[in-house]
Every structure is written in C-alpha cells, then in structure tokens.
Amino acid sequence: TANGDIASARKDTAISADQAYGSYTYGNEQTTVNAGVTVTGDSQVAETGILVVQGKIIGTVLAKDDSIVKGGGTIQGPLTLSERAKIAPGNSPGCLSTGNLTFVAGTSYDFELGGANATCGAADGYDQIKVTGTVTLGNGTLNTLLYNGFKPAKDQKYTIIDNDASD
C-alpha cells in the first residue's frame, strides 16, 4: 500500500502497490498503473506525460496539454482531455474504461483498426472507449490507424465509444 501524494517525474515509473492513496501528478515521462493495482485519488497527467492505465484509478483524471492517456484498464471517475491531449485505448487493440469523458477542441483519439471483431483486445479487432457517464466530444479529432494489413469494408460500422446511455 502506498499512501500520500505522489509526483512522478522519472522515466518509466510503475505504480505496483496493491493499493495507492493520495493525489497524483504523473510527470513528463511514462507512468504505468500496473494490472491488479488500484490508485485512489485525483490525478493529473503533466504536459508531454504518458499515463498507461492497466489497473484502476478511482478519481478524476485530467490529461494536460500534449499528454497521452492509454492502456486497457479502468478510470473510475471523469477523464478530461485538455487541448492537444490524446487518448489511445487498449494494447493494440483494446478497451479503456472511464466515467464521464470530455474532449475539447484540439484533443485527439488514436483509434486502431485491425478487424471487425468488437471483443476487447482481440488481435483482429479495434479500439474502444467504454464510458459509464456522459460523453462530450468538444470538436476533438479521430485519428484512424490501420494495422495488420486490414482494409475496412464499405459501410462496416464500428463502436468506437461505447456509452452506457444511462445519463
């Protein structure tokens, strides 16, 4: 268990305690919340920082300018992307789950498309953001990245943001 405020500025920091509590500022390098780890507290991803969520964050996450939030874990709280911030769900491909999701002008969603399989993490599938709460698109940009030589069929549909629609 890790308690208190954590400021990560070192390269490739991993949070691997079973439980971590406090407020977190992830530095301008890559920080990973490992699978099986739960971080409780509000978080900020510093400018140019990369937050890889493989475990769970319980609290608000603010991705500042030029930062990246990625991985296949869960943010159990609102995720707000500031100008020029990017979200890249999954692990080529995969799903990232979050509470309310807010894009603003200048943000982007890197969407990997390698097949029509909607199963999270399927090698012949595609990325998804699973949202429990509201979605505000705010004039963000969708960047589609094809891989595995996949060529989408005309009129094929993909659920890139799966919202629970209960709000």
Side-chain angles (χ1 to χ4, degrees):
T1 300
N3 293 305
D5 296 341
I6 294 177
S8 167
R10 293 187 348 223
K11 185 175 183 176
D12 299 332
T13 301
I15 299 173
S16 55
D18 291 340
Q19 298 277 327
Y21 301 94
S23 61
Y24 299 87
T25 299
Y26 303 104
N28 57 2
E29 298 291 342
Q30 178 169 303
T31 302
T32 302
V33 176
N34 288 329
V37 174
T38 299
V39 174
T40 303
D42 294 339
S43 302
Q44 290 187 30
V45 185
E47 292 180 18
T48 72
I50 301 170
L51 174 61
V52 182
V53 182
Q54 301 296 56
K56 182 190 290 187
I57 296 176
I58 300 173
T60 298
V61 174
L62 171 63
K64 292 190 172 184
D65 296 356
D66 298 311
S67 64
I68 301 170
V69 176
K70 60 190 218 172
T74 299
I75 298 170
Q76 195 172 322
L79 170 59
T80 300
L81 302 171
S82 295
E83 187 176 350
R84 297 183 315 277
K86 181 185 300 186
I87 189 166
N91 301 305
S92 295
C95 296
L96 180 66
S97 298
T98 185
N100 298 340
L101 175 63
T102 302
F103 291 88
V104 299
T107 57
S108 61
Y109 175 178
D110 282 358
F111 169 69
E112 292 182 311
L113 180 58
N117 188 340
T119 303
C120 286
D124 61 344
Y126 57 90
D127 286 341
Q128 251 183 31
I129 303 171
K130 295 189 172 285
V131 179
T132 303
T134 60
V135 176
T136 304
L137 296 176
N139 204 22
T141 300
L142 176 65
N143 300 317
T144 302
L145 311 166
L146 298 176
Y147 73 96
N148 285 344
F150 181 70
K151 295 182 181 173
K154 183 179 178 185
D155 297 326
Q156 176 69 42
K157 294 180 180 157
Y158 305 94
T159 303
I160 62 173
I161 298 177
D162 183 8
N163 184 247
D164 67 351
S166 66
D167 317 291

